[in-house]
Amino acid sequence: MSVASSESLKQDRALPAGAYDFIVVGAGTAGCILASKLSENPRHRVLLVEAGGLDNWIWFHIPVGYLFAIGNPRSDWMFNTVAEPGLNGRALSYPRGKVIGGSSAINAMIAMRGQAADYDSWRQDGLLGWGWDEVLPYFKQLEDHFMGPSEYHGSGGGWRVEPPRVSWEILDVVANAAQQMGIPKIEDFNTGDNEGSCYFHVNQKRGRRWSSARGYLKPVLNRPNLTLVTDALVDRVILDDKKVAGISYRRDGQSFEASARGEVVLSSGSIGSVQILQRSGVGPAQWLKDVGVDVVHPLEGVGRNLQDHLQQRAIYKVSNTKTLNEAYHSLIGRAFMGLEYALFRRGPLTMAPSQLGIFTRSSNHYDRANIEFHIQPLSLDKFGDPLHRFPAITVSACNLRPTSRGHIRILDNDIQSKPEIAPNYLSTDEDRKVACDAIRVTRRLMKQPALGSYEPREYLPGPTVGDSDDDLVRAAGDIGTTIFHPVGTAKMGRASDPLAVVDERLRLHGLRGIRVVDASVMPTITSGNTNTPTAMIAMKGSEMILEDCR
């Protein structure tokens, strides 16, 4: 049975004739790595299909370019969430990269693995091969780390990791304040236990953003067995009985198909991969019927189990120190920042959105760090707005392991339609408690003696917000926002798990010839930024694909 009518499709004239061994759908963080690894053997014909375009825009490469890329339809899919009850009825922008490199071309560049216990919990749930000791070699294989090869890090890989190229006095003092609270300063968040404070390590190379496309795809595009097609939106997979035989996609207003004699690998992320599966008739049966899609393979987990990190963006005015706010509003300051970058590839133009990280516990109830602070020497009302005219810092705390679960579902069968994205933030008692306690930890941090001479004054949530749970839950709903870490919508799990979409080798349950290899397969979110774990999944996934095709 085919879910894409071959009568309405044709072979794209831009493609070499014949079937491909592997079709990779999505040239994002995972897809670039998959295409690179799967095409290493010249006998494997690999097609990489990307809905976005090439990264031929300066702001994909200057680190601070995320300010111009996020919220720009040239580089961002411009998704939005539904109005969220837990956020007091607010809807959020939900950026996703629309370019080769995917979200690694517009994200925060923070190189973060999470905690060893995250992966050990996957293994304990029956996902053999996914414990910390088993995934660590793939993290190391992935990397070209500034610290050099060691027990925890690797060199020579395409995933460049460097220290930040700018520092701020006020952030150093916040780290001192954290130390006064008993939170130690550490050198590296990526050894399996990230509790402590440290400047974030970043995916950059000599002051330029280092995306998955730069590290893994562009160096191998000259391979004759690798074909990249951009600006091509995949509509659905083509099924022949229970075997995926290829894909159909649209490009320049026309429909095309490509056939796979091996496997189709979906790597379009927690949103894109779900959309493709659901349009193909693979997903929750009732959801598909509701939008007029024929149910080809019912699979209840497709689009469910959405998890994301919600941060509470606290802002504090400060005195007697410099922040980026002042330089932003000064012509001389802007000119100096540009000159410093042009001459030395240093300074504020190299900044990730957050520079200092603090991992700690919201209460003694937790046996490991469960909140992460992203601390910035700047402030603004919301992303995309100009910086404030007063000196201030942002101290955002997020719940690392939320228990709230949301969903992503298509609303019709139109390839151009955006899906319903409902993260369901703060929908559990535990998540509301962690949000309240995180604000309390933030306030305690900013009252430490180390910060005394800088006179921190709470701007958000504001000094009129009390300390009761009711007050703080309301405040969390007002200032809470995403850190752009959607995962879990095609979760990895055993066949007995009613919401599992793929098995431990990332093969779709009940179908042959298809895998999902991206952030959507995470059964539970990792305790930190999710881009590097996604890259690891691609590295490990490519090895499993090659093993199984022998």
Side-chain angles (χ1 to χ4, degrees), residues 525-542:
I525 197 166
T526 53
S527 300
N529 307 69
T530 54
N531 197 230
T532 295
T534 301
M536 177 278 293
I537 288 168
M539 185 66 73
K540 182 174 172 61
S542 65

Side-chain angles (χ1 to χ4, degrees), residues 284-361:
Q286 191 58 55
W287 286 6
L288 302 181
K289 293 174 184 176
D290 288 345
V291 295
V293 174
D294 291 337
V295 180
V296 176
H297 183 65
L299 206 54
E300 284 299 308
V302 175
R304 302 192 193 274
N305 192 50
L306 173 62
Q307 299 158 60
D308 189 16
H309 287 139
L310 182 76
Q311 63 177 345
Q312 282 77 51
R313 283 185 65 252
I315 294 174
Y316 283 79
K317 294 182 177 181
V318 293
S319 302
N320 306 316
T321 189
K322 293 180 179 179
T323 71
L324 189 61
N325 289 10
E326 303 94 284
Y328 176 86
H329 290 288
S330 163
L331 289 177
I332 294 175
R334 289 191 182 192
F336 179 79
M337 287 190 291
L339 186 63
E340 185 178 20
Y341 185 78
L343 294 177
F344 307 110
R345 292 288 189 267
R346 291 187 175 277
L349 294 190
T350 70
M351 280 174 49
S354 302
Q355 291 74 54
L356 180 69
I358 299 175
F359 286 79
T360 188
R361 309 174 200 201

Side-chain angles (χ1 to χ4, degrees), residues 380-403:
L380 67 169
D381 286 332
K382 66 178 185 300
F383 199 90
D385 285 1
L387 303 187
H388 291 140
R389 289 189 173 274
F390 49 79
I393 63 174
T394 301
V395 188
S396 296
C398 80
N399 180 357
L400 288 171
R401 295 182 294 279
T403 54

Side-chain angles (χ1 to χ4, degrees), residues 155-272:
S155 63
W159 198 250
R160 181 63 184 169
V161 179
E162 294 191 348
R165 297 169 75 87
V166 63
S167 61
W168 295 85
E169 175 193 39
I170 187 63
L171 299 189
D172 294 336
V173 175
V174 172
N176 292 340
Q179 193 169 38
Q180 290 178 334
M181 286 176 60
I183 303 169
K185 295 181 181 180
I186 61 175
E187 296 295 322
D188 185 2
F189 282 134
N190 289 309
T191 62
D193 178 4
N194 53 18
E195 192 158 6
S197 73
C198 180
Y199 274 88
F200 288 118
H201 298 161
V202 291
N203 293 122
Q204 294 181 12
K205 188 169 186 177
R206 294 191 290 273
R208 297 189 73 195
R209 175 187 289 273
W210 200 252
S211 69
S212 183
R214 290 195 68 195
Y216 277 95
L217 178 61
K218 294 170 82 170
V220 302
L221 277 177
N222 61 340
R223 289 176 180 168
N225 62 322
L226 174 60
T227 301
L228 169 66
V229 178
T230 58
D231 303 297
L233 192 59
V234 172
D235 184 16
R236 61 196 70 198
V237 297
I238 301 170
L239 275 155
D240 183 5
D241 194 17
K242 290 291 185 179
K243 169 75 165 63
V244 173
I247 60 169
S248 68
Y249 62 94
R250 291 189 64 81
R251 188 174 185 230
D252 298 327
Q254 299 184 69
S255 295
F256 301 98
E257 67 177 6
S259 58
R261 58 174 167 255
E263 293 191 1
V264 171
V265 185
L266 298 184
S267 58
S268 296
S270 292
I271 299 173

